Amino acid sequence: MKIKKYPQSCLMIEANNKKILVDAGSLKYQDKFLNEWKNVDIILITHKHGDHIKSDVLKDFNIPIYSTQEVQNTYPEIKINIIKENDTLDFENVKIEVVKAIHGYNPLLKNGGKVFENVGYIVDDGEHRIYITSDTICFDNDYKADVVALPVTAHGLTMSSFEAALFAKELGAKLVLPIHMDNEKYPTDMEYMKKNFEKFDINYKLLNIEEEIEI
């Protein structure tokens, strides 16, 4: 399995000859991404916020896009294949589990920004399971994954690194990929993250934009 990072929460996962693009958003988008983005097999979107979906680009793609009814309602120009929590998508030798996510709230989300439908995805290629949590606060679950990509920015909207470390431990994750950290308006406290991840013995890797790893 290969994982490539793009800005904010966007990841490309290559597994068993399938390319899966998750949360192809507008934040720090660059035109040079287009050739790679339009040559994937499927696209998964977690929720409606613009840093997770770049509608003016995706609307022209002839690629299956999966997301919630709320995303479809927000972006009627895009053809969305509607999914919901507990669904499973099978793509030959890759299974995608649609899982729970709870987007946090603060008053900046008034006037249309509040998220009512939010999902995460667990991509399973038979050897590895990578869990992309979406923007979520901590919640009780019985999910298992050896790799987890999760936000640690807090601000009431997502987990802080303290909850993220405990969340990852519960999953049995051997590797944590912190994401959702490319917006300078809402910086992550990197020292606090380092402190918490070391305290809970979390193996993590900070990926640069367009950096790729193989697991």
Side-chain angles (χ1 to χ4, degrees), residues 98-135:
V98 184
V99 297
K100 182 176 180 176
I102 305 174
H103 199 290
Y105 174 80
N106 71 34
L108 295 176
L109 295 185
K110 286 182 178 178
N111 303 316
K114 187 174 180 181
V115 174
F116 294 93
E117 287 188 89
N118 187 22
V119 295
Y121 299 99
I122 298 177
V123 178
D124 188 334
D125 68 356
E127 184 176 359
H128 295 288
R129 288 168 62 83
I130 178 170
Y131 174 16
I132 302 97
T133 68
S134 182
D135 293 3

Side-chain angles (χ1 to χ4, degrees), residues 38-206:
K38 70 182 182 181
N39 284 296
V40 300
D41 296 289
I42 53 174
I43 297 173
L44 307 174
I45 304 296
T46 60
H47 65 284
K48 69 180 182 180
H49 286 160
D51 57 338
H52 295 257
I53 178 169
K54 186 164 177 55
S55 61
D56 59 333
V57 165
L58 298 187
K59 69 181 177 62
D60 296 323
F61 282 16
N62 187 26
I63 297 167
I65 300 174
Y66 292 82
S67 193
T68 65
Q69 185 65 57
E70 183 174 46
V71 170
Q72 179 67 93
N73 294 346
T74 306
Y75 303 99
E77 68 275 19
I78 303 176
K79 172 64 175 70
I80 300 288
N81 296 282
I82 306 300
I83 47 85
K84 59 185 183 303
E85 182 185 327
N86 297 322
D87 283 352
T88 299
L89 308 174
D90 287 303
F91 295 96
E92 296 178 12
N93 295 323
V94 178
K95 182 174 74 171
I96 300 169
E97 301 168 24
V98 184
V99 297
K100 182 176 180 176
I102 305 174
H103 199 290
Y105 174 80
N106 71 34
L108 295 176
L109 295 185
K110 286 182 178 178
N111 303 316
K114 187 174 180 181
V115 174
F116 294 93
E117 287 188 89
N118 187 22
V119 295
Y121 299 99
I122 298 177
V123 178
D124 188 334
D125 68 356
E127 184 176 359
H128 295 288
R129 288 168 62 83
I130 178 170
Y131 174 16
I132 302 97
T133 68
S134 182
D135 293 3
T136 188
I137 57 176
C138 201
F139 63 93
D140 187 25
N141 66 81
D142 59 0
Y143 305 144
K144 295 299 176 187
D146 54 325
V147 182
V148 59
L150 44 68
V152 294
T153 40
H155 307 298
L157 307 183
T158 74
M159 292 178 272
S160 75
S161 56
F162 176 80
E163 301 100 275
L166 294 172
F167 195 87
K169 281 288 189 183
E170 289 281 292
L171 296 170
K174 298 180 178 63
L175 176 64
V176 172
L177 303 175
I179 56 173
H180 201 263
M181 299 193 301
D182 291 314
N183 190 341
E184 289 88 355
K185 290 172 61 178
Y186 308 105
T188 298
D189 187 333
M190 301 300 285
E191 285 302 313
Y192 184 65
M193 182 182 73
K194 184 173 184 286
K195 175 183 174 181
N196 281 312
F197 283 179
E198 289 179 354
K199 175 181 178 180
F200 293 105
D201 195 27
I202 299 295
N203 179 36
Y204 69 101
K205 183 171 179 59
L206 295 171

